[in-house]
Amino acid sequence: MSAKIKIQDGRDVPGNPLARRRVTSAFLADILTAACPILWSGAFLFSSQAQAETTDPDIIALRREVAEMRAELRKMRRVITSTHPAVSQRHGVSSASHAHDWNGVPEPGIRFAAAREAPVFAGPPDIRRTPPDSGIVSSWKDFKAATARSEVVQVGGMKVGFPNGRPTIATQDGRYAFSTGLGFQEDFGGYLGMAPRGGEPKGRFPGFTENARRMRLFLTFRYKDWVANVTPDFGSGVADGKLGIYEANLNYAGLRNTELTVGYYEPRESEESAERSGGLTLLERPSVIDIVRNIAANAWRFSVGGLHYEKQWFVSAWFTGQQFGDRSTDATISDSQTGAVARVVGRPYVSRDVDVMVGVGTSDSFKRNESASGRVFKMSPPTGNVPLSQDHLLTASIPNANSVWSVGPELGVRWKRLLVKSEYFHIGVNRSPLAGLAQPSLGFDGWYVTVSYTLFGHARAFDVKRASFLPPGITEDFDPFQNHWGAMELSARWDETNLNDRPDALTGFRGGRSTTWESAVNWYLSQHFRLTLDYSHFSVSRNSQTFNILGRSGNALAGRVQAAF
């Protein structure tokens, strides 16, 4: 006859015959609840009748045994009610609430009151935020703590649950574990008012189209403090059907607040690039950040390095190489890129209502990939910061780019529900001689200012593990019948990027200059689902593109549906 195991929510599931000894906790508690009054009453009556004969050794021994039995029953009941929530709740014992901000830091533990104590008060609300956009790296200790506090079904020596919000299978001690997750974003929309000038070609700027922006499947494998992440991406780029890989790396998390990584990874050199793609303030990152990320960072970049974080400071450094797929895309590459990325962040002032962040980031590609075209550096952010077109108005392809570097400060200030942040970057390009003539270095600049306000839900909070701001949090999932609406955020951004350097000089360069005004509304129906509507107005000065000889301006309107687990 098959045994059954009682899980935390009170349901019965088939179990292994070896689990016969695991008697249903609620049933055992009921037996003890019914038995204790009977035994205590019998013991009391017996002791009353024997009060006159307390000198009898047999009666004294029997009374001692009854007292020991009562103590043992109390002990058994305390053990059961402290380890099984279903039993605790049945007997009027409540659990303390716990907040989890999806930042990789273990949530506070669930506590159960003693059987005869007053219930624990509810405390602060349970805040839930969009999960990370990569495999979760945490120490073995933190993983076991998160597993112990999640909803777990135990079958034999295995645990099946949702630590950090992702389906996970782990051994009893958490030594071995496997978890999976999903990051899905589908964009739709188009460009308006993009009529060409003076007989220029229109360019590929569709009035309406769709694009699978990100379709990532997170696969995480753990052995103690070693974590391997593999994340294929079925929606990479701006055109449906482009397959790639977001990450494939090995991590060690056995050192306090430290992650060491080798493999294909995305090192971050700025606050905006460190933000989760599922929680960006607008549809995509500003143009200057898109350019800077492609110098020596970006996704699927070979990286060796690590990061360390504390409550009020953060530091990271990486040695980087080429991107996954570079040599298959261009079979003429004969020498691979090498570079470095570093970032330092501090929080000089932190309170309940105010959070100030300052930092600096830098990246450097010591040498670019060398192919049949030489060493080339290409800058081509999406038009209007909306990834729905294959042609880009702001673009530059610089030949003989021996090395490329960037450096810039960052600032972020949160006051209650309002968040203001800004970054500036200077980009330098050192060029090799051309036809025996020295080529002067080139310099470009870009910056942005973003303002966001959380209308309802919980304001953005600081993520110490990535030194960036987390997306808005929710307490109750969207349910209009219960007057629950999730979280909603309004955002606006002004960004400028200048890819001109002495454009009228013989040795100068003209890549164009763009100004973009952008606004968006982000509606988080739950921590797993989000809707975004984004509008941008852009103006780009002329460059060498056939569809931008005189300069162009226009508008973009795009929507996004998102799922994240």
Side-chain angles (χ1 to χ4, degrees):
M1 180 174 62
S2 175
K4 292 187 176 181
I5 303 174
K6 193 74 172 183
I7 58 176
Q8 289 184 6
D9 61 1
R11 295 172 296 173
D12 291 331
V13 295
N16 190 292
L18 294 177
R20 293 177 185 273
R21 58 187 178 86
R22 298 182 181 178
V23 181
T24 302
S25 301
F27 179 65
L28 180 56
D30 291 339
I31 292 175
L32 294 175
T33 303
C36 285
I38 297 173
L39 291 173
W40 293 343
S41 299
F44 175 77
L45 292 174
F46 180 80
S47 60
S48 298
Q49 295 173 359
Q51 197 63 252
E53 300 179 10
T54 53
T55 56
D56 191 320
D58 293 335
I59 294 178
I60 294 175
L62 186 56
R63 292 176 63 183
R64 185 184 300 111
E65 290 177 3
V66 171
E68 292 174 354
M69 181 182 297
R70 291 171 62 185
E72 184 67 18
L73 288 173
R74 289 197 197 96
K75 181 179 179 181
M76 292 176 64
R77 178 163 180 153
R78 282 197 300 270
V79 171
I80 293 172
T81 56
S82 65
T83 56
H84 296 277
V87 178
S88 302
Q89 293 171 4
R90 176 180 301 183
H91 292 280
V93 183
S94 63
S95 61
S97 65
H98 55 287
H100 45 91
D101 274 357
W102 303 102
N103 58 4
V105 179
E107 303 109 350
I110 298 176
R111 295 171 289 127
F112 294 94
R116 296 191 177 183
E117 292 178 358
V120 178
F121 291 102
D126 202 14
I127 303 175
R128 302 185 297 275
R129 303 181 191 268
T130 301
D133 57 356
S134 61
I136 298 175
V137 177
S138 62
S139 67
W140 184 22
K141 177 183 177 181
D142 289 346
F143 174 76
K144 288 189 293 184
T147 303
R149 297 176 179 102
S150 67
E151 298 178 4
V152 174
V153 176
Q154 185 166 325
V155 182
M158 301 297 294
K159 290 183 177 181
V160 181
F162 290 80
N164 296 311
R166 287 189 173 165
T168 301
I169 301 174
T171 55
Q172 179 73 25
D173 59 0
R175 184 187 304 265
Y176 289 93
F178 167 75
S179 62
T180 184
L182 172 70
F184 166 79
Q185 294 175 346
E186 178 74 22
D187 296 344
F188 51 91
Y191 294 87
L192 309 171
M194 290 286 291
R197 301 178 180 178
E200 294 175 342
K202 180 180 179 180
R204 293 177 292 179
F205 299 99
F208 183 83
T209 189
E210 310 83 25
N211 178 51
R213 178 63 182 93
R214 297 174 178 91
M215 294 179 64
R216 296 171 181 170
L217 183 63
F218 309 114
L219 306 173
T220 300
F221 305 82
R222 167 183 296 278
Y223 175 70
K224 293 185 178 181
D225 289 313
W226 296 90
V227 180
N229 289 317
V230 178
T231 303
D233 192 347
F234 302 95
S236 177
V238 297
D240 276 331
K242 181 178 180 180
L243 305 181
I245 192 165
Y246 174 68
E247 63 180 347
N249 50 63
L250 177 64
N251 306 268
Y252 180 71
L255 304 177
R256 178 181 175 276
N257 294 349
T258 302
E259 297 177 13
L260 303 177
T261 301
V262 59
Y264 290 108
Y265 177 78
E266 182 180 3
R268 281 93 176 179
E269 77 298 314
S270 67
E271 192 281 335
E272 187 74 21
S273 64
E275 281 193 8
R276 302 169 181 182
S277 59
L280 295 174
T281 50
L282 291 105
L283 195 72
E284 289 292 332
R285 299 175 174 95
S287 297
V288 63
I289 300 300
D290 185 86
I291 293 171
V292 168
R293 291 170 70 231
N294 280 282
I295 294 176
N298 210 341
W300 62 85
R301 175 80 65 181
F302 177 78
S303 306
V304 180
L307 60 86
H308 180 82
Y309 62 91
E310 297 292 344
K311 183 178 179 180
Q312 291 188 269
W313 61 273
F314 168 96
V315 61
S316 66
W318 312 90
F319 168 82
T320 65
Q322 65 181 352
Q323 295 184 101
F324 176 84
D326 277 357
R327 286 181 292 175
S328 62
T329 303
D330 186 352
T332 67
I333 291 179
S334 58
D335 191 16
S336 296
Q337 172 175 316
T338 57
V341 177
R343 182 174 176 234
V344 178
V345 175
R347 299 170 72 192
Y349 184 82
V350 181
S351 69
R352 179 178 179 178
D353 294 331
V354 179
D355 201 337
V356 179
M357 177 211 72
V358 294
V360 61
T362 182
S363 61
D364 193 339
S365 58
F366 311 134
K367 62 176 182 178
R368 309 295 298 174
N369 281 341
E370 184 171 14
S371 65
S373 302
R375 301 186 188 274
V376 179
F377 176 54
K378 186 174 182 179
M379 299 175 283
S380 187
T383 300
N385 303 323
V386 175
L388 289 174
S389 66
Q390 292 152 292
D391 287 333
H392 299 167
L393 290 179
L394 183 70
T395 185
S397 184
I398 303 175
N400 304 311
N402 189 43
S403 63
V404 183
W405 56 273
S406 70
V407 65
E410 58 187 73
L411 171 67
V413 179
R414 180 190 65 82
W415 178 66
K416 296 184 177 179
R417 293 175 173 268
L418 180 67
L419 173 64
V420 180
K421 60 179 184 175
S422 179
E423 293 180 281
Y424 164 85
F425 274 96
H426 178 78
I427 303 168
V429 181
N430 300 318
R431 295 186 290 178
S432 302
L434 179 63
L437 299 177
Q439 300 292 304
S441 300
L442 299 175
F444 310 109
D445 300 277
W447 59 275
Y448 76 87
V449 177
T450 297
V451 179
S452 64
Y453 184 81
T454 305
L455 287 177
F456 52 83
H458 293 270
R460 288 178 175 260
F462 193 79
D463 182 356
V464 296
K465 287 194 67 174
R466 299 177 70 158
S468 64
F469 287 95
L470 291 160
I474 68 170
T475 304
E476 301 291 348
D477 295 347
F478 172 73
D479 185 353
F481 298 104
Q482 300 293 328
N483 197 28
H484 298 158
W485 302 96
M488 181 172 287
E489 174 188 51
L490 297 181
S491 302
R493 181 170 65 208
W494 176 22
D495 77 87
E496 290 195 8
T497 303
N498 186 4
L499 301 186
N500 293 330
D501 187 355
R502 307 183 308 278
D504 297 323
L506 182 62
T507 57
F509 190 85
R510 183 186 297 277
R513 179 170 184 165
S514 74
T515 300
T516 303
W517 294 87
E518 192 172 0
S519 60
V521 55
N522 300 311
W523 189 5
Y524 295 84
L525 304 177
S526 72
Q527 74 269 36
H528 300 297
F529 301 100
R530 164 183 153 174
L531 303 177
T532 296
L533 182 63
D534 185 285
Y535 167 78
S536 68
H537 173 76
F538 50 86
S539 177
V540 183
S541 65
R542 67 188 180 96
N543 54 30
S544 59
Q545 298 281 36
T546 58
F547 48 80
N548 189 26
I549 298 175
L550 301 175
R552 295 178 70 171
S553 61
N555 307 279
L557 182 64
R560 170 174 290 173
V561 293
Q562 171 182 298
F565 290 88

